[in-house]
Amino acid sequence: MGIDITENGVVSFNPNHEKFVSTSVSFNPKLKNISVKGYRGNLLVYSVFTRMKSNDNRDGNPLIYAMKGLKGYSITFREIVKFKKNFKDIMGKVINHNGFDCDVILVIPSSSSVVKIFARLVGFITGKQVIDDYFEKCTIDDVLINFNMNIVSKKDEDTINGVIYTLTKLDGTKHFTLKHVRNNVRHYFQPLKVRGGYNLNGKKILLVDDVLSTGTTFINAHKLISNSAQKIIAMSFLSDLSNY
């Protein structure tokens, strides 16, 4: 079961194929252990639906774009409801997996409400508390002030200097985004900071985001709470890309 995308960017659910996004209960969830260079920690990520790379070089991102109202894509509430049964059935498989265990759900901050809605659904199904204001996005100034050039390898210095130069030309009060940084050097940047106000000591944490890309944001969140949390796992609405 996948999605169709019209020329006008309208996204709809299609139970007859698995193009762009696999929503099949038998195929999902997708599990992946992620890590980044220079950090010893790794993280198990559960993805509810799987993004599929198609022969025309498109992938499942239009589903998220449509839900966020981005890049000219759209989806009706009636179509979104069609994903509900598979979503609940796949979540049932996640909960029953022997690696799944959490006390609290922490939401990765986003400019869209989609990830918060997703987190609330996960919280409702699991019966766990959802905290959507533990993390906040760093500003460009935050990143520049706290950036550590000492951890940058020699081969990456030119690339990093280029990124830093570009960032200095931008409005420092704006939120920093990893989308403007090449994948191979994203691990040097910290896009999140802790707002605080919650005690996570000894807690088992589930991090929630909408899409798994390189996993850098998840790992950065992991770094911020690893000294207090007892266990950390993660979940995304859509997985990283799979070929078919």
Side-chain angles (χ1 to χ4, degrees):
M1 288 160 272
I3 62 172
D4 290 329
I5 309 166
T6 69
E7 292 182 0
N8 296 325
V10 178
V11 176
S12 58
F13 177 80
N14 191 322
N16 299 314
H17 65 66
E18 292 189 346
K19 192 173 184 181
F20 304 121
V21 175
S22 171
T23 65
S24 168
V25 177
S26 60
F27 189 71
N28 292 295
K30 183 177 180 183
L31 278 63
K32 184 173 186 178
N33 275 295
I34 60 172
S35 60
V36 298
K37 294 178 183 176
Y39 185 61
R40 289 180 294 177
N42 60 71
L43 184 64
L44 174 64
V45 182
Y46 297 85
S47 297
V48 180
F49 296 146
T50 302
R51 280 195 295 155
M52 311 294 285
K53 191 172 182 179
S54 67
N55 294 329
D56 60 1
N57 293 319
R58 287 194 293 177
D59 59 40
N61 269 339
L63 175 58
I64 283 292
Y65 294 152
M67 294 172 73
K68 293 182 176 182
L70 298 175
K71 301 189 178 184
Y73 291 98
S74 63
I75 187 170
T76 66
F77 179 75
R78 183 176 180 179
E79 289 299 317
I80 292 175
V81 169
K82 294 178 182 178
F83 294 87
K84 183 178 179 180
K85 184 180 185 308
N86 286 27
F87 179 87
K88 290 179 66 177
D89 289 346
I90 294 166
M91 279 299 305
K93 292 175 67 176
V94 171
I95 293 170
N96 289 322
H97 185 260
N98 59 14
F100 185 86
D101 189 15
C102 74
D103 302 314
V104 179
I105 298 169
L106 299 184
V107 183
I108 300 296
S110 172
S111 56
S112 163
S113 63
V114 169
V115 66
K116 289 184 180 180
I117 294 170
F118 171 50
R120 289 183 192 126
L121 287 171
V122 174
F124 177 77
I125 293 171
T126 60
K128 304 301 180 181
Q129 179 188 12
V130 177
I131 300 174
D132 61 15
D133 60 351
Y134 184 83
F135 300 112
E136 62 180 306
K137 291 184 176 183
C138 289
T139 64
I140 293 172
D141 280 346
D142 289 331
V143 171
L144 290 173
I145 291 169
N146 296 311
F147 192 83
N148 183 7
M149 275 304 289
N150 293 327
I151 66 172
V152 178
S153 67
K154 194 72 176 176
K155 68 181 180 62
D156 292 329
E157 283 183 358
D158 288 345
T159 301
I160 291 298
N161 284 330
V163 175
I164 297 296
Y165 176 79
T166 299
L167 291 177
T168 61
K169 300 299 180 182
L170 302 177
D171 182 350
T173 64
K174 299 294 185 183
H175 284 143
F176 170 77
T177 174
L178 284 170
K179 294 175 182 177
H180 302 305
V181 181
R182 286 169 51 181
N183 288 353
N184 65 316
V185 294
R186 284 185 176 183
H187 58 284
Y188 293 119
F189 295 87
Q190 174 55 271
L192 303 176
K193 58 185 176 181
V194 172
R195 180 174 291 173
Y198 300 94
N199 184 0
L200 301 183
N201 287 335
K203 298 289 187 181
K204 299 171 186 175
I205 305 299
L206 174 65
L207 302 171
V208 171
D209 204 354
D210 48 13
V211 180
L212 176 63
S213 182
T214 61
T216 307
T217 301
F218 271 144
I219 291 295
N220 279 311
H222 187 286
K223 290 179 183 178
L224 292 173
I225 63 174
S226 60
N227 288 334
S228 56
Q230 177 185 340
K231 177 179 180 178
I232 308 169
I233 55 176
M235 180 181 294
S236 62
F237 181 69
L238 292 182
S239 75
D240 56 344
L241 279 175
S242 294
N243 292 317
Y244 75 94

